[in-house]
Coordinates of all heavy atoms in Angstrom, one line a residue:
A1 N 0.8 -1.2 0.0 CA 0.0 0.0 0.0 C 0.9 1.3 0.0 O 0.4 2.4 -0.2 CB -0.9 0.0 1.2
V2 N 2.1 1.1 0.2 CA 3.1 2.1 0.1 C 4.2 1.6 -0.8 O 4.8 0.6 -0.6 CB 3.8 2.6 1.4 CG1 4.9 3.6 1.2 CG2 2.7 3.1 2.4
V3 N 4.4 2.3 -1.9 CA 5.3 1.8 -3.0 C 6.5 2.8 -3.2 O 6.2 4.0 -3.4 CB 4.6 1.5 -4.3 CG1 5.5 1.0 -5.4 CG2 3.4 0.6 -4.1
D4 N 7.7 2.2 -3.2 CA 8.9 3.1 -3.5 C 9.7 2.4 -4.6 O 10.5 1.5 -4.3 CB 9.7 3.2 -2.2 CG 10.9 4.1 -2.4 OD1 11.0 4.8 -3.4 OD2 11.8 4.0 -1.5
C5 N 9.5 2.8 -5.8 CA 10.0 2.1 -6.9 C 11.5 2.3 -7.1 O 12.0 3.4 -6.8 CB 9.3 2.5 -8.2 SG 7.6 1.9 -8.3
D6 N 12.2 1.3 -7.6 CA 13.6 1.4 -8.0 C 13.6 0.9 -9.5 O 13.4 -0.2 -9.8 CB 14.5 0.6 -7.2 CG 15.9 0.5 -7.6 OD1 16.3 1.2 -8.6 OD2 16.7 -0.2 -7.0
W7 N 13.9 1.9 -10.4 CA 13.8 1.5 -11.8 C 15.2 1.2 -12.4 O 15.4 1.2 -13.6 CB 13.1 2.6 -12.7 CG 13.5 4.0 -12.3 CD1 14.5 4.7 -12.8 CD2 12.8 4.8 -11.3 NE1 14.5 6.0 -12.2 CE2 13.5 6.0 -11.3 CE3 11.7 4.6 -10.5 CZ2 13.1 7.1 -10.5 CZ3 11.4 5.6 -9.6 CH2 12.1 6.9 -9.6
S8 N 16.2 1.0 -11.6 CA 17.6 0.7 -12.1 C 17.6 -0.6 -12.9 O 18.4 -0.6 -13.9 CB 18.5 0.6 -10.9 OG 18.2 -0.4 -10.0
F9 N 16.8 -1.6 -12.6 CA 16.8 -2.8 -13.4 C 16.3 -2.5 -14.8 O 16.8 -3.0 -15.8 CB 15.8 -3.8 -12.7 CG 15.6 -5.1 -13.5 CD1 16.6 -6.1 -13.6 CD2 14.4 -5.3 -14.2 CE1 16.4 -7.2 -14.4 CE2 14.2 -6.4 -15.0 CZ 15.2 -7.4 -15.1
T10 N 15.3 -1.6 -14.9 CA 14.7 -1.2 -16.2 C 15.7 -0.5 -17.0 O 15.8 -0.7 -18.2 CB 13.5 -0.3 -16.0 OG1 12.6 -0.9 -15.0 CG2 12.7 -0.1 -17.3
T11 N 16.5 0.4 -16.4 CA 17.5 1.1 -17.2 C 18.6 0.2 -17.8 O 19.3 0.6 -18.7 CB 18.2 2.2 -16.4 OG1 18.9 1.6 -15.3 CG2 17.1 3.2 -15.8
R12 N 18.8 -1.0 -17.2 CA 19.8 -1.9 -17.6 C 19.3 -2.9 -18.7 O 20.1 -3.7 -19.2 CB 20.4 -2.7 -16.5 CG 21.1 -1.8 -15.4 CD 21.9 -2.7 -14.5 NE 21.1 -3.6 -13.7 CZ 20.5 -3.3 -12.6 NH1 20.7 -2.1 -12.0 NH2 19.8 -4.3 -11.9
L13 N 18.0 -2.9 -19.0 CA 17.5 -3.8 -20.0 C 18.0 -3.5 -21.4 O 18.2 -2.3 -21.8 CB 15.9 -3.7 -20.0 CG 15.1 -4.2 -18.8 CD1 13.7 -3.8 -19.0 CD2 15.3 -5.7 -18.7
P14 N 18.3 -4.5 -22.1 CA 18.8 -4.3 -23.5 C 17.7 -3.8 -24.4 O 16.6 -4.3 -24.4 CB 19.3 -5.7 -24.0 CG 18.4 -6.6 -23.1 CD 18.3 -6.0 -21.8
A15 N 18.0 -2.7 -25.1 CA 17.0 -2.1 -26.0 C 16.7 -3.0 -27.2 O 15.6 -3.0 -27.7 CB 17.5 -0.8 -26.5
H16 N 17.6 -3.8 -27.6 CA 17.4 -4.7 -28.7 C 18.5 -5.8 -28.7 O 19.5 -5.7 -28.0 CB 17.5 -4.0 -30.1 CG 18.8 -3.2 -30.2 ND1 20.0 -3.8 -30.7 CD2 19.1 -1.9 -30.0 CE1 20.9 -2.9 -30.7 NE2 20.4 -1.7 -30.3
A17 N 18.3 -6.9 -29.4 CA 19.2 -8.0 -29.5 C 19.1 -8.7 -30.9 O 18.0 -8.6 -31.5 CB 18.9 -9.0 -28.4
P18 N 20.1 -9.3 -31.4 CA 20.0 -9.9 -32.8 C 19.1 -11.1 -32.9 O 18.7 -11.4 -34.0 CB 21.5 -10.2 -33.1 CG 22.1 -10.4 -31.7 CD 21.4 -9.4 -30.8
S19 N 18.8 -11.7 -31.8 CA 18.0 -12.9 -31.8 C 17.3 -13.1 -30.5 O 17.6 -12.5 -29.5 CB 18.8 -14.2 -32.1 OG 19.7 -14.4 -31.0
R20 N 16.3 -14.0 -30.5 CA 15.6 -14.3 -29.2 C 16.5 -14.9 -28.2 O 16.5 -14.5 -27.0 CB 14.4 -15.3 -29.5 CG 13.6 -15.6 -28.3 CD 12.6 -16.7 -28.6 NE 11.8 -17.0 -27.4 CZ 10.7 -16.4 -27.0 NH1 10.1 -15.4 -27.8 NH2 10.0 -16.7 -25.9
Q21 N 17.4 -15.8 -28.6 CA 18.3 -16.4 -27.7 C 19.3 -15.4 -27.1 O 19.6 -15.4 -25.9 CB 19.1 -17.5 -28.5 CG 20.1 -18.2 -27.6 CD 20.9 -19.3 -28.3 OE1 20.6 -19.7 -29.4 NE2 21.9 -19.8 -27.6
A22 N 19.7 -14.4 -28.0 CA 20.6 -13.4 -27.5 C 19.9 -12.5 -26.5 O 20.5 -12.1 -25.5 CB 21.1 -12.5 -28.6
L23 N 18.7 -12.2 -26.7 CA 17.9 -11.4 -25.7 C 17.8 -12.1 -24.4 O 18.0 -11.6 -23.3 CB 16.5 -11.1 -26.3 CG 15.6 -10.2 -25.5 CD1 16.3 -8.8 -25.2 CD2 14.3 -10.0 -26.2
A24 N 17.5 -13.4 -24.5 CA 17.3 -14.2 -23.2 C 18.7 -14.3 -22.5 O 18.7 -14.2 -21.3 CB 16.8 -15.6 -23.6
E25 N 19.7 -14.5 -23.2 CA 21.1 -14.6 -22.6 C 21.5 -13.3 -22.0 O 22.1 -13.2 -20.9 CB 22.1 -15.0 -23.7 CG 22.0 -16.4 -24.1 CD 22.9 -16.8 -25.2 OE1 23.6 -15.8 -25.8 OE2 23.0 -18.0 -25.6
A26 N 21.1 -12.1 -22.6 CA 21.4 -10.8 -22.0 C 20.6 -10.6 -20.7 O 21.1 -9.9 -19.8 CB 21.0 -9.7 -23.0

């Protein structure tokens, strides 16, 4: 009921990858 977000994980997400497997590995 009280939320304090940390979006650092989101900022580290890869914007793109050459394949599905590469995205999963990242």
Side-chain angles (χ1 to χ4, degrees):
V2 177
V3 182
D4 183 13
C5 292
D6 176 0
W7 43 89
S8 59
F9 175 77
T10 312
T11 63
R12 297 194 300 271
L13 289 174
H16 54 82
S19 66
R20 181 185 180 92
Q21 181 178 350
L23 183 58
E25 290 175 351

